Amino acid sequence: MNAIETRDLTRYYGTLRAVNRLTLSVDREVFALLGPNGSGKTTTVLMLTTLLRPTEGSATVSGHDIVRDGEKVRRSLSYVPQDMAVDIKLTGRENVLLYARLYGIKNPKDRIDELLAMMQLTDRADDLVKTYSGGMRRRLELAQALVHEPEVLFLDEPTLGLDVAARSTIWEHITALKKGGMTIFVTTHYMDEADRFCDRVGIISKGTLLALDSPQTLKSRLGNDVITARIDGEFKDPDLEGVKLFSFSNNEASFLTEKGREALPHLADAFTKTGVIVRSLALREPTLDDVFLHTVGKVEEPMGFDQTKFRTMLRRRK
Amino acid sequence: MRGVVYYIERDLLRWIRGKVNVVSSLAMPAAWLIFVGLALPIKFTDNYLDFITPGILVMTMLSAGLSGGTLLMFDKILGFLNKFLALPSPREDILFGKILFTSLRGLIQSTIILVIAVLIGATIYSPVQYGFTYLILFLFGMLLSAFSTTLALFLEDHDSYAAVNAMISMPLFFTSSALMPYSVMPSWLRFVASLNPLSFAIDAIRAVNTGALPIQQIVSLVVLCILITGISTQVFRRMTVQI
């Protein structure tokens, strides 16, 4: 039995199809769902955490059906939304205590001490959360989420708005939890993080799962080399054999090729012939960003702009 | 139902630690009590303070109850609600916690107003009379907080919630029996006031103060309370597990 199992999971908002026949198995790994804004990542997480009913299809978490056995599902999972929802007028300890009690933990005091120590918050445990940094607040949320030792952990954009050091700390914790046998399902925009820390990634666009594999496999499937050209002038695809254009924006064109070193001069020549000025040419290995752009293509911002989310972001900037 | 207690404790701690809030919500009813209760030249009674105190107590519950919806509203906006909904403890606990906390907070504020009233010369009643006064205030508070919490579930943002609140709170107060007895009201106001739930609570407290037991008003409040809380629960269930 896999920790998360979905079968043709589908969700409509009115006539808009937010998630389209998603079939997925995740077990004892760090799995990342990647996708542009409005692609259905959060909708998927909301369905799996029983906050939203699927329109069609089914899913189980720890073997429990998400529609029929909601309470058992919630008992085996934890959900940390992206909003950073910790009570700033409560101390760190009080924040965790609330969850320990709501989960009905016996001996909450010992468990809380243990978790605060694990998240390196012991020194500050009795300070108001108001005085915590973003990274500390996120670690506090992890402590809350781990209080009942869940089998599955859902993290929506766990490193959003954190500085580099705080991000890597969060990922260290996530990796440690996976080693302990936990299944971790994250959504993220940060491709480099998904590449470094996730065992498998799924790329979703407009509700449809387009790619699903380990970052390494996805990258190698793309080809050996990526050439990025910064140009001036009217861009036209030079259409060379074995050199495939997969993205162009802001005067930067990216090509896939098997033999990058040989392709470089050809590409430069081709550009010069069409009267385009080449500012720079770079040869590199494919990254998950390239996989993403190649899979999803250039996607427009969806129309439904989320006022609430925008406000939350503005608040965070202060 | 243990969850209810934990949710109440959370809101209580957050309220007490937001010191400005605790004091500012008392300013309005205290001002009414002192500046209107003591200063208005009234002919129909020689102790206007005793007459207006039940009205001001109910007014305190009214503003406490109507502002209670913001708690759920902000939990919804800031992402707390989703975290709580993903917990195995019964989801309705969140709602009942909010309604009970809002009523409890109203009672605490009313107590302070009552103390001020007594300090500036209002009559002191027996413990039994105060017991009934608190029961009536509590029922009224439950009614109001269930209503405002339901409103918060329906409305998308805090601005529209505040606008609706401002729209209903003053008219409700002025069309009740808070400021004058039915005998001196114009007939149209007498009719409106007799249907206003604020009047149920105010009249009931005045009756208690004269030594009577206002069964009819208390029953009306209980029925309204059950009705609105029932609707609120249904709305909450529908809104939180979106089908």
Side-chain angles (χ1 to χ4, degrees):
Chain A
M1 183 197 72
N2 290 323
I4 302 172
E5 195 88 59
T6 76
R7 222 185 138 73
D8 291 332
L9 199 64
T10 303
R11 169 74 203 197
Y12 282 86
Y13 292 111
T15 55
L16 177 80
R17 190 170 54 198
V19 174
N20 178 22
R21 301 175 76 86
L22 181 75
T23 300
L24 194 65
S25 305
V26 181
D27 196 43
R28 287 167 187 268
E29 60 184 320
V30 182
F31 177 85
L33 200 55
L34 311 174
N37 291 328
S39 56
K41 300 186 299 284
T42 300
T43 304
T44 304
V45 172
L46 288 178
M47 284 194 284
L48 292 175
T49 50
T50 77
L51 299 183
L52 198 63
R53 290 233 173 116
T55 316
E56 284 160 28
S58 62
T60 60
V61 173
S62 295
H64 307 298
D65 186 279
I66 57 162
V67 177
R68 285 195 307 269
D69 289 327
E71 204 211 307
K72 281 182 190 153
V73 170
R74 291 194 287 276
R75 207 162 274 292
S76 48
L77 65 77
S78 261
Y79 170 46
V80 182
Q82 54 176 290
D83 314 82
M84 204 86 92
V86 282
D87 283 310
I88 55 167
K89 285 179 190 161
L90 266 52
T91 65
R93 191 184 299 282
E94 286 167 342
N95 266 288
V96 185
L97 180 65
L98 175 68
Y99 282 76
R101 284 168 161 182
L102 287 168
Y103 276 114
I105 305 297
K106 295 189 184 76
N107 276 332
K109 202 191 164 302
D110 298 347
R111 179 70 186 145
I112 292 167
D113 284 339
E114 188 188 324
L115 283 166
L116 289 171
M118 191 205 277
M119 292 297 152
Q120 297 137 20
L121 290 169
T122 308
D123 303 344
R124 303 287 306 277
D126 295 306
D127 295 347
L128 293 185
V129 173
K130 200 159 38 176
T131 64
Y132 282 26
S133 68
M136 290 169 75
R137 289 180 193 196
R138 196 47 114 193
R139 290 197 322 263
L140 186 63
E141 281 204 296
L142 281 181
Q144 290 178 324
L146 297 174
V147 79
H148 65 302
E149 299 175 65
E151 289 166 47
V152 186
L153 183 58
F154 288 92
L155 303 170
D156 204 353
E157 302 280 357
T159 55
L160 188 76
L162 300 185
D163 64 39
V164 180
R167 282 183 198 185
S168 78
T169 314
I170 295 293
W171 281 111
E172 276 166 29
H173 286 300
I174 292 174
T175 310
L177 290 169
K178 179 197 80 171
K179 288 199 179 117
M182 199 179 283
T183 302
I184 295 140
F185 189 109
V186 303
T187 71
T188 183
H189 284 304
Y190 300 119
M191 298 297 153
D192 55 324
E193 294 182 4
D195 193 357
R196 276 170 64 200
F197 300 106
C198 298
D199 301 300
R200 284 194 309 150
V201 299
I203 296 177
I204 187 173
S205 173
K206 291 179 183 159
T208 308
L209 191 66
L210 298 175
L212 174 70
D213 221 315
S214 70
Q216 201 46 53
T217 314
L218 288 174
K219 284 187 291 187
S220 62
R221 208 178 286 160
L222 209 54
N224 275 333
D225 296 316
V226 170
I227 298 173
T228 309
R230 275 186 45 224
I231 54 134
D232 274 348
E234 188 77 17
F235 173 75
K236 199 170 145 278
D237 185 3
D239 225 0
L240 295 177
E241 203 186 317
V243 182
K244 190 178 156 233
L245 175 81
F246 74 95
S247 133
F248 177 76
S249 66
N250 292 332
N251 284 341
E252 196 171 276
S254 300
F255 302 88
L256 286 174
T257 176
E258 285 307 312
K259 290 179 176 156
R261 277 171 189 279
E262 281 97 83
L264 276 173
H266 293 302
L267 203 57
D269 283 349
F271 273 131
T272 317
K273 265 181 209 156
T274 54
V276 170
I277 301 158
V278 181
R279 293 281 172 210
S280 73
L281 278 176
L283 176 68
R284 55 184 173 79
E285 287 180 1
T287 63
L288 208 52
D289 271 315
D290 299 320
V291 176
F292 186 79
L293 285 173
H294 185 253
T295 315
V296 174
K298 193 170 164 20
V299 184
E300 298 295 318
E301 276 277 303
M303 290 300 285
F305 175 70
D306 191 335
Q307 188 77 41
T308 318
K309 236 177 235 171
F310 182 64
R311 278 201 196 166
T312 320
M313 280 177 64
L314 285 185
R315 244 196 315 275
R316 229 174 256 141
R317 285 171 145 200
K318 283 177 196 161
Chain B
M1 291 305 268
R2 262 184 316 173
V4 175
V5 179
Y6 305 141
Y7 287 124
I8 291 178
E9 196 185 326
R10 163 180 179 249
D11 280 326
L12 195 65
L13 280 176
R14 296 197 309 165
W15 176 56
I16 293 170
R17 287 178 191 170
K19 295 161 189 95
V20 179
N21 222 345
V22 177
V23 179
S24 68
S25 56
L26 288 169
M28 180 74 116
W32 270 90
L33 199 61
I34 296 164
F35 299 121
V36 179
L38 287 182
L40 216 61
I42 293 294
K43 297 201 176 65
F44 61 82
T45 170
D46 42 6
N47 191 345
Y48 189 52
L49 185 63
D50 271 353
F51 180 82
I52 204 179
T53 299
I56 303 302
L57 289 178
V58 171
M59 179 205 214
T60 312
M61 288 308 279
L62 174 73
S63 57
L66 284 183
S67 65
T70 47
L71 292 169
L72 192 60
M73 170 79 65
F74 277 116
D75 275 0
K76 191 166 75 172
I77 293 173
L78 299 178
F80 289 98
L81 186 59
N82 270 354
K83 276 173 84 173
F84 293 147
L85 289 173
L87 296 174
S89 74
R91 288 174 165 177
E92 289 82 4
D93 285 2
I94 303 167
L95 177 74
F96 297 142
K98 290 286 179 239
I99 294 177
L100 281 169
F101 166 71
T102 308
S103 315
L104 186 72
R105 184 173 65 178
L107 284 182
I108 295 171
Q109 292 172 345
S110 300
T111 306
I112 298 170
I113 293 298
L114 194 60
V115 170
I116 297 175
V118 169
L119 287 178
I120 62 174
T123 311
I124 297 175
Y125 299 100
S126 76
V128 179
Q129 280 169 313
Y130 281 132
F132 273 103
T133 300
Y134 271 86
L135 173 71
I136 293 159
L137 287 175
F138 177 71
L139 287 172
F140 182 71
M142 285 279 286
L143 174 65
L144 260 295
S145 32
F147 169 77
S148 69
T149 306
T150 316
L151 196 66
L153 283 169
F154 270 116
L155 297 177
E156 286 285 313
D157 62 312
H158 182 252
D159 294 345
S160 38
Y161 175 83
V164 172
N165 260 357
M167 187 180 74
I168 58 180
S169 66
M170 273 292 142
L172 262 180
F173 180 67
F174 287 120
T175 57
S176 74
S177 57
L179 299 175
M180 57 190 113
Y182 293 100
S183 55
V184 302
M185 285 181 192
S187 59
W188 60 269
L189 182 59
R190 196 176 304 148
F191 175 70
V192 179
S194 65
L195 296 177
N196 187 334
L198 252 75
S199 308
F200 298 175
I202 296 166
D203 297 346
I205 295 173
R206 284 193 186 130
V208 165
N209 289 350
T210 62
L213 186 59
I215 299 286
Q216 192 208 327
Q217 279 102 338
I218 291 181
V219 170
S220 315
L221 283 174
V222 170
V223 170
L224 275 176
C225 219
I226 292 171
L227 186 73
I228 301 288
T229 310
I231 293 173
S232 194
T233 313
Q234 283 308 313
V235 171
F236 182 79
R237 283 188 185 142
R238 195 144 20 105
M239 295 271 174
T240 49
V241 186
Q242 291 139 345
I243 298 165

